[in-house]
Amino acid sequence: MPIVEYQPDANFPGVIGRTADESSPAWPLPKRAPKGTPNVLFIVLDDTGFGQLGCFGSPIETPNFDRLAANGLRYNNMHTTALCSPSRSCIITGRNHHSNAMACVTEFATGYPGYDGNIPFENGFLSEILLEQGFNTYMVGKWHLIPASQESAAGPYDRWPLGRGFERFYGFLGGDTSQWNPDLVYDNHQVDPPATPEEGYHLTPDLVDKSIKFIADAKQVDPNKPFYLHLCPGATHAPHHVPKEWADKYAGKFDDGWDAYREGTFARQKEFGIVPADCELSRHDPDVPEWDSLTDDQRRLYTREMEVFAGFLTHTDHHIGRLLDFLQSIGQLDNTLIMVISDNGASAEGGVTGTTNEAQFFNNCPAPVEDDVKVIDEIGGPKHFNHYPWGWTFAGNTPFRRWKRETYRGGSSDPFIVQWPGRIKAKGEVRSQYAHIVDMVPTVLDVLKVEPPTMIKGVPQAPIHGVSFAHTFDDGSAKSNHHTQYFEMIGHRSLYHDGWRAVCPWPGPSFAEASVPFGTDISSDMLSQLDATGWELYHVEEDVAETKNVAADNRERLIGMIAQWYAEAGRYNVLPVDGSALTRLLVERPLLAEPRDRYVYYPDTQSVPYFAAPKLLNRPHAITADVEIPDSGAEGVLLCQGSVAAGYSFFVKDGKLVYVHNYVGRDYFKVESTDVVPAGRHELRFEFEPTGELNLLEGKGAPGRLQLYVDKKLVGDADAPYTVPMVLNPGALTCGANPGSAITLDYSSPFPFTGLIHTVTVDVSGELIVDPEAEMRAVMARQ
């Protein structure tokens, strides 16, 4: 007897009698996608510029992205928001980033509707929509779509991937992580990497392995059920981590410098039809030194940093190729709609000189070039958190001007590839219709013939802002349906409308041409002045690289576009315009727990993300561990925060109590007890007492006294002339071990504590032990 099925919201069509023999069954219809429904694969790269994929003219080898382009389409007029969290929110919702409350990265959230980092539930995710259409849904890699304070084990979990329509998740929640020692989450819980760097571990192949596993797990049970995989590798965001042999493939390839890279890439872009034959290359950026002006050591260092980046990208491409090969082997590649995008242009966060430790950039304390040259052979390995100098950033966004964080096309125009062999007949062609990443979701829904839902989980849905570009798949001459698009990022504003682009750079067209530093807030008077004199105008339909500012000859048009920007700003929660950076980073934000002066931690628990941990930099604080030391002694970490890049560790080694402050990997300030900690139960305490002020201009946090106590008796005392001034990134806090890379050179990770930890308490009340006699002894000992 055939099975009778019915829609769950319909009346039961069977018969219910007094007994089973006089009844007939029927079953609620399972969610099934129509036969032949394609899989959907989004590959979201990170900080990969318009001119960094081989198929977009780069000398960097990306054979697997190139094969996607050869069998599909390249779009040369796709736009992002110019920064990661905002772009990722657009890609997955189809709504503009301020409407997603993602004006900036989640770490820069502020208390306004467009800025607070909590994506409204009325802006449904593609995963939530496709889950209801009978898809399996997988999120692998970088998330970065929740307020940073919500990344902890306390949740809430409703904005984690499994709370937003993904059935399985494996990756990291924050903006970046070490590729060798990543902060990993599996579904809703923290996990350790399955191997160590010494055993050959690297995050990218791990992410691809999980992607293949998730798909295979389901396909072996139901081969006809489509999947949606949202794959977001850490590449090519800093740290640029890659096995040395991949970087060595590029030895000598960039010796001619960034201007030669630009010229060669630009020539190939013309050859490939990525830019028009009459396109002009944007100017040499005033912030970028001429290659010939550099010293031999600078050229050698900067070349190696680019070799490492190139190896990182080629290594990523290789592992993406394994996923494509797997889909081919199970007969799913032809029926998979693949979209490849980067979240913004190439990144300038390495600064003018590049860095072997990005924490130095964020704390305004770059290392001298001669220091970085000493470790040149280690760049890309586990000991460093490296990033190339912004000369390569400028080159990576060829032919456009500027970079990530800015809304010139260098920050907001990205390589975009679409492949769907079973549907798109065109192969290897270039499409030039204007598009924005908010268009990706409506395009997927269009080809699936799925109407945007009016309700998800009982929440009425807001309109989708993007428009479908599916009509361009087979018609290269079709007109774009996307006519107007606003941009705003950290006060940098622009507007596209039908072939024209108005741009109001902040704090200026370049740092060299700005009257104030980057991150300066915009006052009301400054905004009025900017609107009167600060806007530029480009006819990008003819001048794709924004080389000719025609504002003076088109004043009426420009005034209309400025007014139109404000209309869009009002519609999409863009106001207030905020150009600040440091202010946003340091602003007080609500935490899940009520404010308190004491934080209690326990061993063998999940690490606490930086923005959910107590803020210890530049303020008096104490760390007290309640422990038991066995007769045989004990060693290991009591509490630590940070990584090899920067942080602190409070631990026992060789029986002695030790505290080390890692100043951005450059200096280590240490205090050690004079005697061994005896067996038994003890209170082990560290105190930091500031003795001076923060000096951010010099990249130096408050100096202070480092003191150790055992059962309230002073056992060690030292001075730190300066400390980390602003932020630890990565900055997870862990009790009882040091997972990931070791914060100090005194031990190897994870160095778990071998005694018994009852609790470790962090006190930020400012109340420190006062013992005049002990303090006098310490003063005398330092003379």
Side-chain angles (χ1 to χ4, degrees), residues 100-102 113 115-121 145 147 150 159:
N100 288 327
M102 284 288 180
Y115 291 71
D116 65 30
N118 292 284
I119 301 177
F121 291 111
L145 289 176
Q150 296 181 20
R159 286 187 166 88

Side-chain angles (χ1 to χ4, degrees), residues 104-124:
C104 198
V105 290
T106 58
E107 293 83 357
F108 275 48
T110 56
Y112 300 99
Y115 291 71
D116 65 30
N118 292 284
I119 301 177
F121 291 111
E122 56 263 29
N123 292 0

Side-chain angles (χ1 to χ4, degrees), residues 23 100 121 227 641 654 718 755:
S23 304
N100 288 327
F121 291 111
F227 66 82
Q641 186 176 19
D654 297 328

Side-chain angles (χ1 to χ4, degrees), residues 399-443:
F400 305 125
R401 60 193 298 175
R402 303 303 282 173
W403 40 57
K404 174 184 177 180
R405 294 190 320 222
E406 301 184 16
T407 68
Y408 284 118
R409 292 200 68 187
S412 62
S413 291
D414 282 279
F416 183 60
I417 302 169
V418 178
Q419 180 188 283
W420 185 9
R423 161 68 173 77
I424 299 175
K425 299 181 179 64
K427 308 294 180 189
E429 296 182 8
V430 175
R431 296 287 183 262
S432 297
Q433 291 86 354
Y434 186 89
H436 187 275
I437 46 176
V438 294
D439 300 332
M440 293 170 65
V441 165
T443 301

